[in-house]
Amino acid sequence: MKILITNDDGIFAPGIRELAKWAQKLGDVTVVAPKHEQSAKSHAINIIGEFEVKPVAFMPGVRAFSVDSTPADCIRYALIGLGEQFDLVLSGINRGVNLGRDIVYSGTVAAIFEANCLGARAAIAMSTEFTSLERAVPHLDEVWAYFEEHKLLECHDLYNVNIPADYTESIRITRQGGAYYSDEFVSTGENMVRQSGMMVWRDAKNFDLDCDAVMNGYISITPLTLQRVDRDVYAKLKELNQ
């Protein structure tokens, strides 16, 4: 199996090293990841200027490239620039969960969206809480076993996985929840402001939602889609053209 790995925390972040080390048991690993942190850059790409791409020493047995751009551009370089096909694209392990509406901003999730855009066979984003990387890594085998046992990659090709800091329950298939974080603008002086995040999630104990599941000790696996058409509204409005 040929595996491509990226992230949005940067090529030398601990999470991507742990993911690459684990993925080597599945096949041949190539890492193409941002030179610098690109958190919350969503699906941005650079179509205006040039940017640096260079091979870097990463770990034995892993070919790696540093890309001075976004996670989506890392995927584009790997699939278009290198001209290679991969059996599996992994993004992460992100430092911070990607839940609910926050996945709109996530560079980690955008990377798998871009992989899907470019025809990748399967793509999975993996995230955990800020302080729980060491606790998340031992559960990767269990997550992969769940994918294989339930043939998830035969059912669908795009998934978002979140591992809680305190995994006490089981693995659940979930759907995207609502608002998880929000922000306020704080003045730092001299016409400068900084966004300061705050959690706005409220626990409804609805474990079909990714937010509620993860915050209550479940690993969530959420099938995602690039489709942004509201099918119900489309069907209703389509009748106007009959």
Side-chain angles (χ1 to χ4, degrees):
M1 180 185 292
K2 288 185 63 177
I3 301 166
L4 171 64
I5 297 180
T6 193
N7 71 351
D8 72 0
D9 289 327
I11 193 165
F12 294 115
I16 196 171
R17 295 186 68 83
E18 292 293 344
L19 186 57
K21 186 187 306 180
W22 171 81
Q24 283 183 293
K25 68 178 71 176
L26 303 180
D28 296 325
V29 174
T30 297
V31 168
V32 182
K35 180 178 182 179
H36 304 293
E37 183 172 352
Q38 297 284 318
S39 295
K41 291 298 178 69
S42 190
H43 208 141
I45 60 174
N46 184 349
I47 60 171
I48 299 174
E50 62 183 13
F51 53 87
E52 175 190 86
V53 177
K54 67 177 182 180
V56 296
F58 189 78
M59 66 175 57
V62 174
R63 179 180 56 154
F65 297 87
S66 165
V67 176
D68 194 9
S69 193
T70 64
D73 267 337
C74 291
I75 295 295
R76 292 172 64 80
Y77 179 76
L79 299 184
I80 301 174
L82 295 178
E84 297 187 21
Q85 295 295 316
F86 296 88
D87 301 299
L88 177 64
V89 177
L90 299 174
S91 183
I93 303 170
N94 189 64
R95 186 174 60 92
V97 289
N98 282 299
L99 298 170
R101 293 176 190 162
D102 281 1
I103 69 172
V104 171
Y105 307 109
S106 170
T108 305
V109 176
I112 66 167
F113 280 141
E114 184 62 25
N116 193 253
C117 284
L118 297 179
R121 297 183 180 95
I124 304 170
M126 293 186 171
S127 305
T128 190
E129 296 181 46
F130 281 94
T131 60
S132 62
L133 177 62
E134 292 181 356
R135 283 176 283 174
V137 170
H139 301 304
L140 294 178
D141 284 338
E142 183 179 354
V143 170
W144 184 248
Y146 190 95
F147 268 83
E148 290 193 312
E149 178 184 356
H150 298 282
K151 303 185 186 308
L152 295 191
L153 295 180
E154 295 179 20
C155 298
H156 191 57
D157 50 11
L158 198 60
Y159 289 92
N160 185 34
V161 175
N162 284 274
I163 303 174
D166 297 310
Y167 174 43
T168 57
E169 300 296 335
S170 60
I171 296 176
R172 289 188 69 94
I173 300 297
T174 58
R175 58 187 172 89
Q176 182 183 355
Y180 182 66
Y181 258 84
S182 187
D183 296 279
E184 62 180 358
F185 287 86
V186 178
S187 173
T188 58
E190 297 296 329
N191 300 318
M192 301 296 290
V193 297
R194 178 184 295 277
Q195 294 191 63
S196 178
M198 67 194 82
M199 183 181 289
V200 295
W201 164 79
R202 296 292 181 266
D203 191 2
K205 294 292 192 295
N206 181 353
F207 303 142
D208 288 336
L209 300 179
D210 56 3
C211 301
D212 290 14
V214 169
M215 299 305 287
N216 282 278
Y218 293 90
I219 291 175
S220 76
I221 299 178
T222 307
L224 301 179
T225 177
L226 282 170
Q227 178 60 257
R228 297 197 179 189
V229 173
D230 187 315
R231 293 178 181 273
D232 292 337
V233 174
Y234 171 78
K236 184 184 298 185
L237 297 181
K238 186 67 174 175
E239 296 176 3
L240 300 175
N241 299 122
Q242 301 305 317

